[in-house]
Amino acid sequence: MMMNLKFVILLFLLVVLVLGVAYVYLNPLPRFKEGFCDSMTERFVSEHFKSPDSHLVATDGLQYQQPSITHGRTDIVSLTPWLAPIVWEGTFNPVLLDSVYQKKNISIAVTVFAVGKYIMFMKDFLETAEQHFFVGFRVHVHVFTDRPNEVPKVKMADGRELSVHSVPNSKRWQEISARRMEMIQKLIEEKLKGDVDYIFCLDVDSKFHGRWGTESLGELVAVIHPGYYRDHRGRFPYERRSASRAYMAPDEGDFYYCGGAFGGLLKEVHQLAQTCRKNFEDDAKEGIEAAWQEESHLNRYMWINKPSKVLSPEYLWQDFKPRNPEILIIRFSGVVKNYNDIRPN
Ligand code: UD2
């Protein structure tokens, strides 16, 4: 009798275990789809990307204000719950940071897409980047456009260069915006690996107004969207249909991040772009497009793969929005545009 009971309990536990394992592997919920990193990818990453050198060497004798842990800004939060810095004016010392990163001789790639009429934004973007974006550092801007002859000639400082890549146009703006992930992935694989330390991927319909520099460097960097940072996460415009791989439940999400600015170490951005591209394409095969295309997939990605540095909305404001009191400086901002005039659909 005792033996039989033990056998039944054992059998029951075995069935529970088998069902549990089967559930984990077969469950179609999106949470298993964002960590797309198979063994091929892992091998590619370890063979092709420079290992990050996190050692920070300061310049001896550099004069700067003594830091404090009891005095500082009290009107904002400058740390996420997973202890990543949230960068705001007044929370960092630009002179100290620049001196540390100058020693490392880092190089930064930028991607910017100007397809169709969006070429009109290129000149202001490039000119203001020269004035404010990583001034004094090696910067390589990669412009993707279907109108290579219309890319304006902008004088660039020593150590800074620009390459133009031809891409096809599309009848749908959603397609143009989302396809950026695929092109970023390919650019990293085919042209950048081994040569570049960091990459930032930015919207073209924007201008720099203030410093954007070494304080923004991190392994995986996300920018908080200016439109929602005071809202409850239940109101964020995440993808809410569970059929999509970008799905976010009402009680999920840290911040709402911009699709118009993100970056980090090459290998981190490679994985982000590859994952968002795959999830966007797999959704498309099932006839679904996330509410805000690649921005929705990026938000899902950042929910699971927490950014190591978060940039405040100073790093992507919108010109039509009045400045809130906590925004002491606007560094980069989207220009006011008439969507009907410039988008293909
Ligand atoms: C938001 C995001 C954008 C993207 C989009 C959803 C911000 C500030 N912007 O902006 O990054 O996630 O939602 O898809 O977070 N483009 C062209 N030609 C076109 C259309 C788009 O080159 O005809 C490129 C261009 O680089 C542009 C970007 O795609 O900056 C995003 O398109 P948008 O600015 O029209 O998207 P928007 O304003 O809805």
Side-chain angles (χ1 to χ4, degrees):
M1 183 65 188
M2 203 55 192
M3 272 299 280
N4 271 353
L5 191 67
K6 269 191 191 161
F7 178 73
V8 169
I9 291 172
L10 214 71
L11 196 69
F12 175 74
L13 288 175
L14 201 72
V15 169
V16 169
L17 190 76
V18 168
L19 286 177
V21 170
Y23 176 81
V24 168
Y25 280 100
L26 300 177
N27 186 344
L29 280 176
R31 69 171 179 274
F32 293 109
K33 295 177 182 166
E34 58 265 309
F36 174 69
C37 190
D38 54 25
S39 57
M40 286 270 287
T41 313
E42 270 170 30
R43 205 172 332 127
F44 179 86
V45 168
S46 65
E47 281 171 11
H48 290 98
F49 294 106
K50 287 187 193 173
S51 319
D53 167 14
S54 54
H55 190 82
L56 303 181
V57 179
T59 307
D60 194 14
L62 186 74
Q63 297 291 311
Y64 61 92
Q65 208 184 352
Q66 179 185 352
S68 169
I69 58 162
T70 52
H71 291 98
R73 286 190 65 174
T74 52
D75 57 336
I76 45 94
V77 173
S78 59
L79 215 48
T80 67
W82 60 97
L83 300 181
I86 306 176
V87 183
W88 295 90
E89 178 69 357
T91 61
F92 61 91
N93 185 320
V95 176
L96 171 59
L97 278 166
D98 283 357
S99 83
V100 165
Y101 282 97
Q102 285 290 5
K103 277 190 187 297
K104 290 158 98 58
N105 192 27
I106 53 167
S107 93
I108 299 124
V110 177
T111 63
V112 60
F113 288 72
V115 178
K117 292 185 183 164
Y118 278 61
I119 194 76
M120 71 168 74
F121 301 114
M122 207 63 260
K123 187 164 185 289
D124 281 349
F125 177 95
L126 292 173
E127 283 180 353
T128 58
E130 278 298 293
Q131 292 158 20
H132 301 293
F133 187 79
F134 282 95
V135 176
F137 286 85
R138 294 195 289 142
V139 172
H140 193 150
V141 181
H142 294 269
V143 174
F144 292 79
T145 182
D146 59 331
R147 302 180 182 189
N149 298 331
E150 293 177 42
V151 175
K153 303 261 175 298
V154 169
K155 189 167 165 23
M156 299 178 91
D158 284 352
R160 298 169 77 94
E161 58 181 314
L162 182 144
S163 297
V164 178
H165 307 269
S166 286
V167 290
N169 202 332
S170 163
K171 289 196 177 69
R172 294 181 68 241
W173 68 265
Q174 295 91 334
E175 192 76 13
I176 297 171
S177 186
R179 284 273 160 231
R180 290 183 292 176
M181 289 296 185
E182 174 190 345
M183 292 175 213
I184 291 165
Q185 179 196 339
K186 286 190 177 153
L187 177 80
I188 295 175
E189 289 172 4
E190 292 164 12
K191 303 239 159 63
L192 305 187
K193 55 186 169 36
D195 296 333
V196 171
D197 299 289
Y198 296 94
I199 181 168
F200 284 95
C201 309
L202 305 174
D203 268 11
V204 70
D205 51 321
S206 333
K207 284 196 241 179
F208 294 88
H209 300 277
R211 175 196 162 96
W212 179 324
T214 47
E215 73 284 357
S216 66
L217 296 175
E219 289 179 25
L220 180 63
V221 182
V223 181
I224 295 180
H225 198 291
Y228 308 95
Y229 70 98
R230 290 170 163 206
D231 291 346
H232 184 270
R233 60 181 163 192
R235 292 168 54 94
F236 290 169
Y238 290 143
E239 173 53 57
R240 300 297 186 183
R241 292 165 297 175
S242 61
S244 168
R245 287 150 182 86
Y247 171 69
M248 296 284 286
D251 56 352
E252 291 182 336
D254 300 305
F255 307 106
Y256 190 77
Y257 301 111
C258 294
F262 58 90
L265 283 176
L266 221 51
K267 79 171 169 83
E268 289 292 334
V269 176
H270 177 261
Q271 184 167 332
L272 161 83
Q274 185 181 38
T275 308
C276 291
R277 172 202 175 175
K278 182 170 181 354
N279 287 344
F280 181 83
E281 289 176 357
D282 287 352
D283 266 11
K285 283 180 205 146
E286 291 167 14
I288 189 157
E289 183 175 276
W292 289 101
Q293 298 79 38
E294 84 301 339
E295 183 173 85
S296 304
H297 287 281
L298 174 135
N299 270 280
R300 174 79 207 175
Y301 185 89
M302 296 284 187
W303 164 238
I304 302 300
N305 307 272
K306 303 291 191 206
S308 62
K309 187 168 275 184
V310 174
L311 305 182
S312 70
E314 295 167 0
Y315 288 81
L316 191 37
W317 198 249
Q318 287 164 326
D319 283 357
F320 65 79
K321 259 178 86 70
R323 186 199 285 206
N324 289 335
E326 63 275 12
I327 305 293
L328 302 184
I329 174 175
I330 293 172
R331 303 171 189 279
F332 187 57
S333 181
V335 301
V336 177
K337 58 189 197 254
N338 182 342
Y339 286 111
N340 292 334
D341 283 351
I342 54 169
R343 280 176 169 172
N345 58 314

